[in-house]
Amino acid sequence: MRKKNGTQRNKKRFWDSLRVQFGVSYIMIIAAVLVLLNTYPLIASEDMVFRSKKTSMLSSVSVMVSSLSGLERLNQDNVAAAMALAEDSGLSRILVTDASGRVLYDSREGRDAVGDYVLYTELVQALMGNDAVCCGYQDGAFRSRASSPVLYRNQIIGAVYAYEYDPEQAALLRGLQENLLRLSAFTGAAVLLLSLLLSARLSRKITALLTAIREVREGAYSHRARIFGRDEIAQIGQEFNSLTDRLQVTETARRQFVSDASHELKTPLAAIRLLSDSILQNPGIDSETTREFVSDIGAEAERLSHITEDLMHLSRLDSGILDPPSRVDALPVLTQVLRMTGLLAQEKNIDLIYRAEENCIIRGTRDEIHRVFYNLIDNAVKYTPAGGSIQVILRRENAWVIFSVEDNGLGIPEEDLPKIFDRFYRVDKARSRGMGGTGLGLSIVKDTVQRRGGTVEAANRFPNGAVFTVRWPADLNE
Ligand code: ADP
């Protein structure tokens, strides 16, 4: 079922790929830019040419109109004379008509339209008294037409019509267009190539990261993402790798813990099994030996219950769910612990002395403070030979409550000191077991103290013995 979900999730559609999304967006943006580049400058320059053509055509026509002004009537002769005086305007064709639209003058070679009636739109407009101009692009050339009326005492006596055919400016504009097209093709190709390269790089990085994530998800905790460059994806890769480092450490610790815990649970269970088998398989066993065996079974069962109790306590600490803290005066708790451990010390003829100050208020729960005190003093009693001495101090130092337990017992080998707070770690397994130890006491102490913002340290005393020091933040609220 889970696998099915997995494959469904992995089934990607074409558009789901970042590479496709980036690639298509790039191409669309570039296409839009190129279309703009190929249209706007051309339209703008064409418009500019049209406007300048219109102005120049109208001014050329008005020059010719002014050279005809003053004539009372227009006829072929006076128009030809006036037009001969007009400067060469560079226009392709000039027509002058009378008021009826009959051509009196045609600048074209052969004067082929003279005497004809022409009804060009602009000319008709001019004969109606309006200036008319029009400019267009057709078949590789600009074609401009302009016409203005010729007036005598406010009477329309004719019109001047000019036509210009300009392939040169059109060729310039075509050249510009071709250059723009070439530039666009080059830019388009370059951007396309770049976007393909970039998206390939991006997808390679993401694929490497995804592969690493999948590998780790499948349980290959030693696998690391390959990092390329220093960009955000590389940073995600680094974060992922350090996350995996931590995961690996936690996983190793978890496996170690499970194997240690099962081993610890197996030992008393095996002993119980052996003892009960011995009783069952030995019909002639005397009652004295049976009692002895049953009492041993009881002791092993008690050990099992200690281990499970400690394990449950540790798992509560691991889950991070703590009982709400309150102000706890450490002194009465210590007195109670000393009463309990004092009996054990007495049995071993150990001198248990203490010095405790008042005003050692800690934020926590009575139970956890009790557990820390008990574990440390009980350890000192356990690991100090008969006739030894233990000194317990509870004092206040600025914002800290300091609790220390010193003994003149076995001490701890220097190489074991850093591991002493690890779960199930014991310097001498057999000795610890023999004393009913679980190997979890110090890790419970450390976790409990740390969860309340404190620290715990272990050191050796000169010439022999060990000292454990706990520093707890004092509750400063009065
Ligand atoms: P245990 O249940 O075995 O006492 P702890 O976690 O309390 O487990 O202690 C871990 C180990 O640290 C012990 O097995 C012992 O070897 C060592 N240790 C603890 N306290 C002392 C001490 N006061 N002197 C010497 N060794 C100690």
Side-chain angles (χ1 to χ4, degrees):
M1 185 67 195
R2 196 193 291 161
K3 194 157 188 190
K4 197 178 167 200
N5 281 344
T7 30
Q8 270 177 1
R9 228 187 303 128
N10 288 342
K11 214 181 243 173
K12 276 203 315 180
R13 282 168 304 163
F14 178 70
W15 287 104
D16 290 344
S17 156
L18 264 186
R19 186 178 177 179
V20 173
Q21 286 174 17
F22 274 124
V24 170
S25 327
Y26 273 142
I27 291 168
M28 277 167 68
I29 292 170
I30 284 306
V33 170
L34 292 184
V35 166
L36 211 69
L37 188 77
N38 277 279
T39 50
Y40 179 73
L42 285 174
I43 292 171
S45 19
E46 202 176 57
D47 192 52
M48 228 160 63
V49 172
F50 285 165
R51 263 185 289 149
S52 82
K53 286 255 177 248
K54 280 177 185 171
T55 329
S56 74
M57 288 294 284
L58 276 177
S59 70
S60 308
V61 169
S62 83
V63 168
M64 287 180 274
V65 168
S66 61
S67 66
L68 294 170
S69 64
L71 298 175
E72 195 180 333
R73 275 183 62 247
L74 300 180
N75 56 41
Q76 283 190 23
D77 297 331
N78 60 11
V79 170
M83 294 312 288
L85 288 176
E87 277 176 30
D88 183 19
S89 56
L91 295 165
S92 314
R93 191 175 188 190
I94 300 163
L95 295 178
V96 180
T97 66
D98 62 11
S100 64
R102 195 163 53 89
V103 177
L104 300 172
Y105 172 80
D106 185 352
S107 66
R108 189 178 279 175
E109 289 288 310
R111 298 165 180 249
D112 39 16
V114 173
D116 293 351
Y117 285 92
V118 284
L119 293 170
Y120 297 140
T121 323
E122 293 75 20
L123 202 56
V124 174
Q125 285 280 321
L127 290 175
M128 287 164 73
N130 303 315
D131 287 336
V133 63
C134 130
C135 188
Y137 176 81
Q138 203 191 335
D139 303 330
F142 284 111
R143 291 157 198 261
S144 318
R145 296 171 186 87
S147 188
S148 287
V150 182
L151 303 172
Y152 180 74
R153 293 196 176 152
N154 281 340
Q155 285 291 311
I156 300 167
I157 54 163
V160 175
Y161 169 88
Y163 169 77
E164 188 197 60
Y165 174 84
D166 181 1
E168 277 141 41
Q169 285 214 48
L172 274 178
L173 216 64
R174 252 204 325 276
L176 176 73
Q177 188 175 19
E178 274 160 19
N179 282 342
L180 280 178
L181 260 174
R182 249 178 254 131
L183 200 75
S184 304
F186 175 76
T187 320
V191 169
L192 198 69
L193 193 75
L194 205 73
S195 83
L196 281 176
L197 282 176
L198 276 178
S199 68
R201 226 167 91 95
L202 185 75
S203 79
R204 200 179 53 183
K205 286 176 178 191
I206 294 177
T207 309
L209 195 58
L210 272 177
T211 312
I213 291 172
R214 284 185 190 132
E215 290 276 337
V216 173
R217 188 191 64 193
E218 296 302 320
Y221 294 105
S222 55
H223 190 88
R224 294 291 175 273
R226 284 203 299 142
I227 313 269
F228 309 94
R230 271 181 292 182
D231 55 18
E232 282 80 355
I233 294 176
Q235 283 170 26
I236 296 176
Q238 271 159 1
E239 290 296 328
F240 170 76
N241 282 349
S242 45
L243 194 75
T244 314
D245 284 344
R246 286 190 61 178
L247 203 64
Q248 195 178 18
V249 170
T250 316
E251 180 60 15
T252 315
R254 189 188 67 82
R255 285 191 184 152
Q256 184 65 41
F257 180 72
V258 170
S259 114
D260 289 350
S262 32
H263 179 76
E264 291 298 324
L265 293 170
K266 226 167 64 190
T267 319
L269 280 174
I272 291 173
R273 182 93 198 267
L274 192 75
L275 288 163
S276 53
D277 278 357
S278 313
I279 299 170
L280 289 173
Q281 285 161 14
N282 201 342
I285 190 164
D286 62 280
S287 64
E288 185 59 26
T289 322
T290 313
R291 272 184 75 79
E292 218 177 277
F293 281 10
V294 172
S295 132
D296 287 349
I297 289 174
E300 291 299 337
E302 198 178 321
R303 221 157 78 75
L304 268 178
S305 101
H306 276 159
I307 298 175
T308 41
E309 227 172 79
D310 281 358
L311 283 175
M312 277 165 71
H313 192 75
L314 271 173
S315 94
R316 259 207 309 281
L317 282 168
D318 282 347
S319 70
I321 305 162
L322 297 178
D323 289 335
S326 55
R327 285 165 57 80
V328 182
D329 185 351
L331 186 55
V333 185
L334 178 62
T335 320
Q336 194 193 10
V337 172
L338 284 169
R339 255 201 312 272
M340 292 164 72
T341 49
L343 294 170
L344 300 168
Q346 231 173 29
E347 269 173 30
K348 281 181 83 178
N349 195 23
I350 290 172
D351 203 10
L352 176 60
I353 50 170
Y354 75 97
R355 183 161 60 82
E357 286 175 11
E358 287 186 349
N359 194 27
C360 291
I361 314 289
I362 298 166
R363 262 198 96 63
T365 66
R366 208 188 141 82
D367 238 30
E368 59 196 32
I369 296 165
H370 186 281
R371 193 167 280 118
V372 171
F373 288 171
Y374 186 87
N375 271 326
L376 293 179
I377 301 175
D378 183 52
N379 272 353
V381 176
K382 274 196 299 193
Y383 301 108
T384 302
S389 73
I390 298 170
Q391 191 186 24
V392 176
I393 297 174
L394 177 69
R395 64 190 170 88
R396 172 79 185 265
E397 192 182 281
N398 304 321
W400 296 94
V401 170
I402 317 274
F403 171 72
S404 66
V405 183
E406 271 184 60
D407 62 59
N408 63 355
L410 308 168
I412 301 156
E414 285 300 317
E415 67 273 15
D416 292 307
L417 267 178
K419 296 178 241 160
I420 206 84
F421 293 99
D422 292 354
R423 292 173 184 190
F424 294 116
Y425 192 82
R426 285 170 289 200
V427 175
D428 182 340
K429 275 199 184 347
R431 176 190 274 267
S432 155
R433 278 211 192 96
M435 294 185 189
T438 60
L440 295 171
L442 285 182
S443 32
I444 291 177
V445 167
K446 187 177 175 198
D447 284 10
T448 309
V449 171
Q450 280 184 344
R451 299 253 166 205
R452 296 291 181 199
T455 59
V456 56
E457 280 166 17
N460 279 317
R461 271 184 79 228
F462 183 79
N464 58 339
V467 52
F468 285 83
T469 313
V470 176
R471 290 165 66 83
W472 248 305
D475 188 330
L476 303 171
N477 302 322
E478 291 308 320

